[in-house]
Amino acid sequence: MMRFLVRRLLAVLPTLIGVTIIAFLILHLTPGDPARLIGGPDATEADLQTIRIQLGLDQPLLVQYWEFISGLFTGDLGESWYMRVPVNQLISEALPRSLELIVAAMILATVIGVLCGVIAAKWRNSIIDRLTMLGAMVGISMPNFWLGQLLILWISVKLGWLPVSGLGDNPWSIDGLRHLILPAVAAAVPSAAYLARLTRSTMLEIMRQDYIRTARAKGLAEAIVLLKHALRNTLIPVVTLIGMQFGSLLGEAVIVETVFAWPGLGRLIINATFSRDFPVVQGGVVVIAVAFIIINILVDISYKFLDPKVSLDK
Amino acid sequence: MKSFIKHSFFFTLLIGMLLLVGCGGGGNSDSEQAEEPAEQTDVVTEGGTLTIAIPVDIVGFDSAKLVDVPTLMLLKNICENLVSVDFDGNYLPQLAERWENSEDLMTWTFFLRQGVKFSDGTPFNAEAVKFNYDRYMDKNVAVAWSKFSNIEKVEVVDEYTVRFILSKPMAAFIDTCIAEHAPMMNSPEAVKKYGDKYVENPVGTGPFVLKEFSRSQRVVLEPNPDYWNGSVKLDQLIYRIIPDTETALLELESGGVDIVTTIPPEQFERLKSNPDLNIQSDPNHTIRGIFFNFGSPIVQDVRMRQAIGHGINVDEIVKSLCGDVVIRSAGPTPVVSWAHKKDFKEPAYEPEKAKQLLEEMGWKVGSDGIRVKDGERLSLKLLGSNGRYIKDKEIADAVQNDLKVIGIEVVLDIVEGSQLWTKLETKKGFDIAFAGVGPRPSTDPAEQPISVFLLQGASINFFNYANPRLDELMDEANKTADKEQRKEIYYQVQDMLEEEVTGIWMYSDQSLAAVSSKVKGYKHSGSRTAWLYNDVTVEE
């Protein structure tokens, strides 16, 4: 296991460097002058040049990139040009909120998606199967900002069951959890839909295997056959998809964060992009890349527990 | 089946969720928390809690380092200026009781209120004014330092008298005290004490103090117990950051917030008909329209500019796309400006006249309906934005359609809102642009489009417009404090711009607010930014 971890960590270094280069270049080559946005519409050319010098924008690109990379090695992501606070501080405020939302969404998505997939596979070609897959199709097709607005309109405004938006006072209080439900559902639905479809199709394939026929022939209860034998082998591709969904939600959650006024990392990065706040965007992208890498490593490790035949060291 | 239920922990989850839904009240979110009595202040009020939705993040509280207008507007509850404006746009003494100027308009003396303290207990006086102005003029501290480049020196005359010596005459110097970037009075002791952390710990003389700042979530203000100008009735003033306008309006309708100031045109009528809401409006000092790039050969001829003006149905475009959310405004000064020429003549919508002018200029209709002259198509590049101004992209589309009817091809270059000025700065690559200036709290034409867009050497003269006579007149207006005389000069300027057809002026924004009927004593304003909440209460 240790050898596996060391090998993987060494292998991801080029990926991380590649991510930093791409993020850096895209930011610097995109139209839009950060100095103008910081100085305001009436700023003179003298103002703008002063700002550019203060921000280091007058330096060659290589020098600016080196400043960024060398800061990464020391854990210093720089200071937000717009908010004048350390990027580390901004990310440490926003990241836990994003993680809270994404973890809740993925738990919901996994439970609902896998359950629906199992049910659809068990009652294949029945009305239950068709309704479940129709629901999955709607879940994949519906934009989650639209779903979010619908949830707010019906659950919060018309029925008054849950708050409209915001974080609540304390994420670990009942009030905080009530604030979490709707955004988590809105973020979970597309992932649950994909998971339901994948679980169904993988389970149908597994159910055709000889060992499943053997288990039934031995007189095992259907629930045991499904949940103990078939589901476990279904989970390998499902866990892979869960890992990918988790990673992509880190960036895609910005839509849900905006609709529900959830102050997460996605919103921080998008706002920083619009205000050309390069240190925040660069820092945020690196954090998401690292998170993605960690998730992928965890997914790989989980294969070992799901299938003892899998060896991580090979 | 038993084992299915036994293993299915999702039932437990479902029951848990139902319990959570059942707990607590309805849809109120942060406002529930905010209605708890304020425990840590000696001020006892029963005015309730006012919650305002704002669409953008608050970036910090050091006013010298900010140009972000929403943050500066919020900050005016904590820190005050020397002078503000009232609801009619007249000067309102704030921390300065009165002022006087020398005849040559180069020396301005302010007499300060006495006995005023910052909320940290330190005194407000002339030294504090000098400290703040010096900071605002320091390019290593402030971002808008060049706005004050005309101030040569700030002198402390005595404890409550401060004098500004200017390097050139400026009739509208008072307007630099009321603009959104005007220096706010921060406690010098607090600035020194907190250093870089002052951006999260503002200390001013205003009616409120900062209680809580949760970035990207909310800002909670409480009454300043030592406020010099009476007492505030509210228990708390909360700004909630809700980026999505639809969500903010849903919060308003469910009682989660009390005021929303971003109202999309298409929601205006629906909100007006809601009996639980009051819609308040006040014209902003803004102007939006089509500007001609005088660096482009194709629009050099005034007949071309007239033809374009005659070809665009401005009244219909503004009415159908923006409705009552904006005010149709002709001319380069906003409707509410004291220098606005009410009978400003701009080209009326007369497509036949437009066609006639183009024919006169030798532009003949080609086979595809687009005019051609000497083998060249009559094609204009329109630079516009998406989301910077009200219905900006839709207006660009409408202009494109209107001009096609008279045989002009318009190629749209629509950029994201924050990129527009970056592209305009290049002063090339476009023939016409949909742009604007404002809102500005100042009604003085020195702060309006004529000055900022059309003066040679103006920092944002993006349109290559150069008219020495215009510059002379504007300079002349700046050298006299007599308002009537200045008005006369500005009318002459507008007459000149009428003839030149420097732009197709379309509308002024309105500052709008959808206000819950529970809120009493609130008057929304497009110009006044000070003391807006001093007399406001919120019914339970």
Side-chain angles (χ1 to χ4, degrees):
Chain A
M1 172 80 84
M2 194 49 67
R3 241 189 358 202
F4 162 77
L5 281 172
V6 168
R7 229 179 32 241
R8 283 302 296 272
L9 286 170
L10 285 173
V12 303
L13 266 180
T15 308
L16 263 182
I17 291 172
V19 164
T20 60
I21 292 173
I22 291 170
F24 179 85
L25 283 177
I26 286 178
L27 277 174
H28 282 79
L29 298 175
T30 303
D33 182 2
R36 168 63 73 189
L37 286 161
I38 291 166
D42 292 351
T44 63
E45 188 50 41
D47 292 339
L48 298 180
Q49 194 51 27
T50 303
I51 293 169
R52 286 184 197 116
I53 292 168
Q54 285 169 352
L55 301 181
L57 287 171
D58 60 322
Q59 300 293 316
L61 278 184
L62 266 178
V63 171
Q64 292 184 51
Y65 179 70
W66 176 247
E67 293 274 337
F68 165 50
I69 277 287
S70 53
L72 277 184
F73 287 126
T74 56
D76 177 11
L77 297 173
E79 185 179 90
S80 162
W81 291 348
Y82 215 59
M83 290 182 258
R84 310 295 182 109
V85 293
V87 174
N88 287 354
Q89 179 184 332
L90 294 173
I91 291 179
S92 64
E93 287 169 359
L95 183 60
R97 297 168 195 157
S98 280
L99 287 176
E100 182 193 344
L101 174 62
I102 291 164
V103 166
M106 286 316 300
I107 290 174
L108 274 177
T110 304
V111 166
I112 295 171
V114 170
L115 188 65
C116 289
V118 167
I119 291 171
K122 167 73 181 128
W123 283 283
R124 179 185 167 205
N125 292 333
S126 70
I127 185 82
I128 294 173
D129 180 20
R130 293 201 195 329
L131 283 174
T132 310
M133 288 300 105
L134 177 65
M137 182 65 71
V138 170
I140 290 169
S141 316
M142 183 182 282
N144 52 4
F145 70 85
W146 178 232
L147 173 63
Q149 295 283 354
L150 281 181
L151 287 171
I152 291 174
L153 186 62
W154 284 102
I155 308 287
S156 299
V157 179
K158 300 249 186 252
L159 295 172
W161 285 354
L162 291 170
V164 172
S165 67
L167 201 61
D169 220 30
N170 177 354
W172 302 112
S173 66
I174 294 288
D175 182 63
L177 289 175
R178 290 180 70 237
H179 280 82
L180 180 58
I181 292 171
L182 289 186
V185 167
V189 162
S191 298
Y194 283 117
L195 284 169
R197 287 164 62 95
L198 179 66
T199 304
R200 178 188 180 275
S201 61
T202 310
M203 182 154 261
L204 286 176
E205 214 177 291
I206 300 285
M207 301 280 276
R208 283 195 281 267
Q209 301 296 315
D210 289 343
Y211 65 89
I212 296 294
R213 197 180 316 124
T214 306
R216 282 188 175 127
K218 282 163 80 177
L220 289 176
E222 189 62 17
I224 304 265
V225 172
L226 269 178
L227 298 176
K228 193 172 172 188
H229 294 281
L231 183 60
R232 189 162 174 170
N233 288 318
T234 304
L235 284 180
I236 289 183
V238 169
V239 162
T240 306
L241 183 61
I242 289 171
M244 286 168 56
Q245 291 286 314
F246 201 109
S248 60
L249 261 183
L250 275 170
E252 290 166 12
V254 60
I255 296 171
V256 171
E257 287 172 6
T258 301
V259 170
F260 289 94
W262 192 269
L265 187 60
R267 235 177 82 193
L268 177 71
I269 294 174
I270 283 290
N271 288 342
T273 306
F274 285 134
S275 55
R276 302 294 187 273
D277 195 346
F278 290 178
V280 176
V281 180
Q282 286 164 181
V285 165
V286 166
V287 165
I288 289 178
V290 167
F292 215 107
I293 288 164
I294 292 173
I295 289 162
N296 272 299
I297 292 175
L298 289 173
V299 165
D300 287 345
I301 291 172
S302 72
Y303 293 151
K304 175 77 182 157
F305 295 96
L306 289 171
D307 184 352
K309 295 196 299 282
V310 167
S311 168
L312 295 174
D313 288 328
K314 284 195 185 150
Chain B
M1 191 58 187
K2 248 193 210 173
S3 50
F4 180 74
I5 292 172
K6 186 176 158 188
H7 287 289
S8 290
F9 64 87
F10 90 94
F11 279 118
T12 315
L13 192 66
L14 183 62
I15 290 165
M17 284 171 67
L18 286 170
L19 282 173
L20 286 173
V21 166
C23 289
N28 282 340
S29 50
D30 290 307
S31 56
E32 279 181 350
Q33 297 298 327
E35 280 161 6
E36 288 168 18
E39 290 171 328
Q40 294 166 0
T41 147
D42 295 327
V43 178
V44 177
T45 67
E46 291 172 359
T49 296
L50 180 70
T51 307
I52 303 171
I54 51 175
V56 292
D57 277 356
I58 297 301
V59 299
F61 298 101
D62 188 345
S63 55
K65 298 182 180 178
L66 296 172
V67 290
D68 181 65
V69 172
T71 306
L72 288 169
M73 295 299 104
L74 186 159
L75 199 44
K76 286 190 191 267
N77 292 301
I78 301 173
C79 299
E80 296 174 308
N81 299 97
L82 295 180
V83 184
S84 185
V85 287
D86 64 17
F87 290 109
D88 299 316
N90 302 313
Y91 296 140
L92 178 69
Q94 205 170 19
L95 288 174
E97 281 184 327
R98 59 186 177 87
W99 51 89
E100 49 191 46
N101 55 272
S102 60
E103 241 180 79
D104 63 1
L105 299 175
M106 289 178 66
T107 303
W108 292 76
T109 306
F110 288 79
F111 302 91
L112 307 176
R113 288 188 196 276
Q114 298 187 22
V116 177
K117 288 191 180 151
F118 291 101
S119 58
D120 61 359
T122 57
F124 165 73
N125 52 27
E127 289 287 352
V129 174
K130 180 173 164 58
F131 175 88
N132 279 285
Y133 266 86
D134 284 346
R135 209 160 166 262
Y136 269 79
M137 296 191 296
D138 183 351
K139 63 172 84 172
N140 294 316
V141 173
V143 287
W145 59 273
S146 68
K147 285 186 189 303
F148 311 103
S149 56
N150 193 24
I151 301 175
E152 220 172 65
K153 199 162 50 163
V154 181
E155 287 176 350
V156 172
V157 176
D158 59 41
E159 193 180 358
Y160 293 108
T161 310
V162 65
R163 182 166 292 144
F164 295 84
I165 315 292
L166 308 183
S167 53
K168 51 184 187 188
M170 190 172 185
F173 179 69
I174 298 297
D175 286 74
T176 66
C177 301
I178 64 174
E180 62 266 11
H181 305 119
M184 293 188 205
M185 298 300 119
N186 299 272
S187 159
E189 292 305 315
V191 171
K192 288 171 199 162
K193 175 182 163 191
Y194 287 110
D196 287 342
K197 290 285 183 192
Y198 185 75
V199 73
E200 293 172 345
N201 295 283
V203 176
T205 59
F208 292 90
V209 295
L210 179 67
K211 185 194 174 198
E212 176 196 321
F213 173 42
S214 301
R215 196 181 309 280
S216 304
Q217 291 181 70
R218 65 183 193 177
V219 177
V220 180
L221 307 182
E222 281 190 336
N224 177 0
D226 300 316
Y227 185 48
W228 61 271
N229 192 20
S231 59
V232 165
K233 294 178 182 161
L234 288 171
D235 295 314
Q236 282 188 333
L237 174 59
I238 297 177
Y239 288 82
R240 282 192 55 202
I241 292 122
I242 305 178
D244 187 73
T245 303
E246 299 297 335
T247 305
L249 292 172
L250 289 170
E251 280 277 21
L252 180 66
E253 290 178 66
S254 73
V257 301
D258 302 304
I259 299 179
V260 172
T261 55
T262 45
I263 301 180
E266 51 274 9
Q267 297 271 19
F268 189 71
E269 291 304 324
R270 183 181 73 79
L271 293 170
K272 261 174 81 170
S273 62
N274 186 330
D276 296 325
L277 301 177
N278 300 315
I279 306 298
Q280 297 189 23
S281 63
D282 194 40
N284 267 336
H285 303 138
T286 61
I287 195 78
R288 316 285 186 224
I290 298 284
F291 291 79
F292 294 102
N293 184 356
F294 285 82
S296 159
I298 215 163
V299 299
Q300 291 298 316
D301 192 326
V302 68
R303 290 176 298 170
M304 175 61 74
R305 301 196 296 274
Q306 286 168 345
I308 290 169
H310 286 306
I312 300 175
N313 191 347
V314 178
D315 287 339
E316 186 55 34
I317 288 174
V318 171
K319 185 174 160 198
S320 60
L321 289 176
C322 306
D324 291 335
V325 169
V326 304
I327 298 176
R328 171 76 177 99
S329 178
T333 54
V335 163
V336 289
S337 169
W338 53 264
H340 176 71
K341 187 168 168 247
K342 289 183 176 54
D343 58 351
F344 185 93
K345 290 181 196 52
E346 54 179 17
Y349 177 58
E350 292 175 286
E352 292 310 312
K353 193 164 180 182
K355 290 174 185 172
Q356 195 185 338
L357 281 166
L358 292 170
E359 290 282 340
E360 267 174 34
M361 293 170 63
W363 292 98
K364 306 295 179 195
V365 180
S367 55
D368 61 350
I370 300 301
R371 293 180 182 267
V372 179
K373 179 175 158 184
D374 301 332
E376 191 191 335
R377 284 166 73 81
L378 181 46
S379 182
L380 298 178
K381 194 165 182 190
L382 190 161
L383 174 62
S385 58
N386 186 4
R388 188 182 180 98
Y389 307 113
I390 294 174
K391 296 295 180 187
D392 44 8
K393 175 159 184 331
E394 291 81 352
I395 288 173
D397 288 335
V399 167
Q400 183 187 45
N401 289 336
D402 276 1
L403 292 182
K404 190 175 176 187
V405 169
I406 61 170
I408 300 178
E409 177 185 53
V410 172
V411 175
L412 296 181
D413 180 12
I414 303 296
V415 298
E416 177 231 318
S418 59
Q419 276 189 52
L420 177 66
W421 286 56
T422 305
K423 286 207 101 169
L424 286 173
E425 261 177 350
T426 63
K427 302 188 185 185
K428 54 187 179 186
F430 63 96
D431 303 298
I432 55 177
F434 181 77
V437 74
R440 296 170 178 262
S442 170
T443 59
D444 198 290
E447 287 284 310
Q448 299 305 330
I450 302 173
S451 297
V452 300
F453 277 159
L454 302 177
L455 276 182
Q456 275 192 86
S459 61
I460 51 176
N461 184 341
F462 299 140
F463 307 107
N464 297 297
Y465 183 71
N467 185 337
R469 180 66 187 137
L470 173 84
D471 295 354
E472 264 174 42
L473 286 171
M474 293 299 286
D475 196 44
E476 203 182 307
N478 211 17
K479 288 181 177 152
T480 172
D482 185 320
K483 205 165 173 180
E484 285 310 311
Q485 232 180 315
R486 296 179 73 210
K487 196 173 180 179
E488 200 43 55
I489 297 171
Y490 289 132
Y491 274 25
Q492 284 181 50
V493 167
Q494 288 172 82
D495 288 338
M496 197 163 43
L497 295 178
E498 255 178 30
E499 283 178 26
E500 293 252 305
V501 192
T502 45
I504 311 296
W505 315 96
M506 291 194 166
Y507 66 81
S508 289
D509 291 348
Q510 291 202 87
S511 183
L512 296 169
V515 184
S516 165
S517 55
K518 293 188 302 181
V519 178
K520 308 296 177 197
Y522 175 72
K523 184 172 174 184
H524 192 65
S525 172
S527 53
R528 180 171 173 155
T529 53
W531 304 333
L532 283 178
Y533 308 105
N534 287 21
D535 297 319
V536 171
T537 57
V538 181
E539 286 173 354
E540 294 300 316

